[in-house]
């Protein structure tokens, strides 16, 4: 009697438990904030191709290098001296030195702006050729500014500017060499960038002369000097922007001392 009563009492409870709905746990939403692995899941920002800048610099220097190659060919093959080329035959050595030195400096200097080459041994080897070539190009250009029989469109103001910018280019190369010998990579890079900007002035001067010539015709002596100077000033202004951006992007590493940086630079030079 007692067992039967217990079963009868348990039946409604079991029936109620069976008919009750089954509740499933609610999923916990994932945190929206950055987690430890979020950096790996974030797509990388597209970087500018590293060869874009060297290719642009080489393209800008093609006009002066092509003009130099034409002048060398003329010196090697011309059999008749004319009023147009007489000044080149009168003193061919500084002209040849200027063309060869400046062309090597522009070509090798453009490749130095590729980050992968700056981290490679090639950077040091190419620099040992580019720096002397730049000095030869600058000094021979200064010699021609003073002693060559230049066209009538080249006045005294342009001669002075050529001497000033030529001296600045040569001085920048020397300052860069001194800086890298004492292990100051940042100063070395800044001065070489300035020297390269001056050397590339002939390429930019094509774009300062072209609009004026198309609109107004051949410039007079004063305008000629202004347009030539504009090419050098524009390049130096761009160089300073590049140097400042480079300095902001690569601050001095924490814990790096001048002695350790100097040792690292000397190791790269060896």
């Amino acid at each position: 009697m007692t067992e039967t009563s217990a079963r009868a009492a348990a039946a409604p409870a079991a029936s109620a438990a069976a008919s009750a709905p089954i509740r499933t746990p609610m999923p916990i939403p994932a945190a929206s904030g950055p987690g430890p692995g979020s950096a790996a899941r974030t797509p990388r920002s597209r970087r500018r191709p590293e060869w874009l800048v060297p290719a642009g610099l080489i393209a800008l220097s093609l006009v002066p290098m092509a003009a130099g190659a034409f002048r060398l060919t003329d010196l090697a093959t011309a059999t008749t001296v004319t009023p147009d080329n007489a000044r080149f035959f009168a003193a061919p050595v500084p002209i040849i030195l200027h063309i060869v030195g400046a062309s090597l400096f522009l070509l090798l200097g453009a490749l130095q702006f590729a980050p992968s080459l700056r981290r490679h041994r090639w950077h040091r080897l190419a620099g040992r050729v580019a720096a002397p070539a730049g000095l030869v190009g600058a000094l021979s250009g200064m010699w021609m500014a003073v002693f060559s029989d230049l066209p009538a469109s080249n006045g005294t103001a342009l001669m002075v500017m050529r001497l000033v910018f030529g001296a600045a280019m040569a001085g920048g190369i020397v300052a860069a060499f001194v800086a890298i010998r004492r292990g100051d990579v940042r100063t070395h890079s800044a001065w070489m960038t300035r020297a390269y900007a001056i050397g590339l002035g002939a390429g930019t001067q094509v774009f300062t002369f072209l609009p004026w010539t198309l609109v107004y015709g051949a410039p007079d002596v004063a305008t000629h000097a202004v347009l030539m100077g504009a090419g050098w000033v524009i390049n130096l202004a761009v160089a300073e922007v590049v140097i400042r951006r480079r300095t902001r992007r690569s601050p001095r590493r924490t814990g790096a001392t001048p002695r350790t940086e100097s040792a690292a630079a000397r190791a790269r030079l060896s």
Side-chain angles (χ1 to χ4, degrees), residues 76-248:
T77 60
T79 58
T80 304
V81 178
T82 65
D84 294 332
N85 62 11
R87 61 191 179 93
F88 301 111
F89 284 94
V93 174
I95 295 172
I96 295 172
L97 290 175
H98 181 72
I99 293 172
V100 175
S103 298
L104 282 174
F105 182 68
L106 292 178
L107 180 60
L108 295 176
L111 297 177
Q112 303 288 48
F113 285 88
S116 61
L117 292 181
R118 285 202 302 271
R119 295 187 294 266
H120 196 268
R121 186 169 178 263
W122 185 93
H123 176 81
R124 180 175 68 253
L125 298 177
R128 291 176 177 175
V129 177
L135 281 175
V136 170
L139 296 177
S140 59
M142 295 171 66
W143 190 96
M144 291 190 297
V146 176
F147 298 106
S148 291
D149 186 14
L150 297 176
S153 59
N154 291 233
T156 304
L158 181 55
M159 182 191 71
V160 172
M161 281 194 293
R162 281 175 169 154
L163 292 176
V164 170
F165 285 109
M169 177 178 168
I173 295 173
V174 172
F177 175 77
V178 172
I180 198 62
R181 292 305 298 175
R182 68 170 184 262
D184 192 348
V185 178
R186 181 178 299 179
T187 302
H188 164 80
S189 177
W191 279 113
M192 284 303 294
T193 301
R194 295 183 182 107
Y196 186 83
I198 297 174
L200 194 60
T204 307
Q205 285 156 359
V206 174
F207 295 96
T208 59
F209 271 88
L210 186 60
W212 182 278
T213 305
L214 291 177
V215 176
Y216 301 106
D220 56 19
V221 175
T223 306
H224 188 274
V226 171
L227 295 176
M228 290 284 288
W232 287 309
V233 171
I234 290 171
N235 282 11
L236 282 174
V238 173
E240 291 302 322
V241 172
V242 171
I243 292 169
R244 291 178 182 275
R245 288 183 177 179
R246 188 185 299 157
T247 303
R248 289 197 299 265

Side-chain angles (χ1 to χ4, degrees), residues 10-68:
S15 176
S19 61
I22 300 175
R23 296 183 179 181
T24 58
M26 295 294 292
I28 300 175
S32 58
S38 59
R41 293 191 300 269
T42 304
R44 292 182 178 179
S45 58
R46 298 183 61 182
R47 293 182 178 179
R48 181 177 58 187
E50 69 168 22
W51 289 100
L52 187 62
V53 172
L57 295 175
I58 292 174
L60 188 60
S61 61
L62 283 179
V63 173
M65 285 195 296

